[in-house]
């Protein structure tokens, strides 16, 4: 598959494509790496670039919170793993963190192509050969290897790691409690009873449920009962 040949786009609910890759922690087979965990796979345009450096440092600092939730982090950059190694030293120095999660070396963009991570918008986001670098993609993948969230940021805009963690909390809490989360929700805020839960079942599961409209039913859910309670 060449750099201009794109596979069918991935959607929410798609099975995350499996692949083999070299990483800073050794070779992996992606589905084996996932195992029974959740995974956040995120791409970067290139090593030794300013925005990427701040992002990797932020993910490294927040990694313990992801780990508590059973989530593995894994990065990807369109460089070799040898290049990653030197860059990680800079990241640790600048951020005061200790980056432990693996970073994939995807110099040929094969994984980036399969996950549709390449930039079609920014004509400057290319390497010396004119091949597009990756954009700032985020894939949140559950233990069934199902893609639950896809985020795409332009190369010029750094991500919000707290938002990625918030999405994980929303997905895990929703799966466990049959709820959905409203705008700007953070763990501890009221949640919405899932539309599939009706009648006596809803009243039994959510005795403190407040019916605003038949389709909008709020219920309290303490932080201690969410995935953030770790």
């Amino acid at each position: 598959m060449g750099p201009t040949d794109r596979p069918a786009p991935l959607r929410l609910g798609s099975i995350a494509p499996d692949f083999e890759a070299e990483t800073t922690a050794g070779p992996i087979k992606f589905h084996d790496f996932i195992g029974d965990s959740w995974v956040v796979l995120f791409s970067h345009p290139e090593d030794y670039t300013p925005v990427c450096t701040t992002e990797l440092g932020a993910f490294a600092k927040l990694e313990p919170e992801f780990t508590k939730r059973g989530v593995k982090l894994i990065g990807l950059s369109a460089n070799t793993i040898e290049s990653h190694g030197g860059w990680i030293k800079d990241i640790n120095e600048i951020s005061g963190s200790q980056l432990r999660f693996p970073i994939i070396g995807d110099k040929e963009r094969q994984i980036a192509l399969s996950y549709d991570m390449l930039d079609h918008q920014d004509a400057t986001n290319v390497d010396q050969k004119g091949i597009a670098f990756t954009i700032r993609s985020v894939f949140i993948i559950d233990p069934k290897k199902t893609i639950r969230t896809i985020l795409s940021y332009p190369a010029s805009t750094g991500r919000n790691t707290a938002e990625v963690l918030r999405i994980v909390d929303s997905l895990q809490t929703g799966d466990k409690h049959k709820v959905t989360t409203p705008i700007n929700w953070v763990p501890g805020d009221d949640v919405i009873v899932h539309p599939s839960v009706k009648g006596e079942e809803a009243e039994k599961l959510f005795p403190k449920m407040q019916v605003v409209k038949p389709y909008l039913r709020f219920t309290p859910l303490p932080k201690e009962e969410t995935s953030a309670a770790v």
Side-chain angles (χ1 to χ4, degrees), residues 24-208:
T24 51
I28 65 161
K29 193 172 187 296
F30 188 51
H31 281 192
D32 291 344
F33 173 80
I34 296 173
D36 296 325
S37 300
W38 289 69
V39 165
V40 175
L41 167 66
F42 52 101
S43 61
H44 300 270
E46 191 178 19
D47 295 356
Y48 296 104
T49 52
V51 177
C52 298
T53 301
T54 64
E55 287 188 321
L56 266 293
F59 273 112
K61 285 184 175 180
L62 207 56
E63 184 177 18
E65 290 299 319
F66 285 100
T67 301
K68 290 175 185 177
R69 292 158 171 81
V71 181
K72 297 177 181 177
L73 300 179
I74 184 166
L76 178 148
S77 187
N79 299 92
T80 64
I81 57 172
E82 290 77 19
S83 171
H84 294 345
W87 183 36
I88 288 171
K89 294 179 182 178
D90 284 357
I91 293 166
N92 290 339
E93 176 188 345
I94 292 166
S95 66
S97 60
Q98 192 67 33
L99 195 155
R100 294 183 173 86
F101 55 82
I103 304 176
I104 296 165
D106 190 31
K107 187 176 182 181
E108 302 302 323
R109 320 288 200 276
Q110 292 302 307
I111 300 165
L113 281 167
S114 68
Y115 278 79
D116 198 22
M117 295 174 173
L118 296 185
D119 199 337
H120 262 192
Q121 172 180 292
D122 184 355
T124 67
N125 190 31
V126 296
D127 66 11
Q128 294 177 343
K129 296 181 180 179
I131 300 174
F133 277 130
T134 51
I135 54 176
R136 302 185 192 285
S137 296
V138 180
F139 292 85
I140 300 178
I141 302 164
D142 70 18
K144 296 179 180 179
K145 301 2 179 230
T146 301
I147 297 173
R148 302 291 297 275
T149 299
I150 301 174
L151 304 172
S152 295
Y153 293 70
S156 59
T157 304
R159 285 162 284 208
N160 186 322
T161 51
E163 171 63 3
V164 176
L165 186 65
R166 189 187 78 92
I167 294 171
V168 168
D169 281 332
S170 173
L171 293 171
Q172 293 185 343
T173 299
D175 287 356
K176 181 179 180 180
H177 292 285
K178 297 183 179 180
V179 297
T180 58
T181 55
I183 182 72
N184 294 331
W185 175 86
V186 293
D189 290 351
D190 288 355
V191 296
I192 298 171
V193 177
H194 195 280
S196 66
V197 183
K198 303 181 184 301
E200 292 182 0
E201 182 187 11
E203 293 174 1
K204 181 179 179 180
L205 289 175
F206 307 106
K208 296 182 180 179

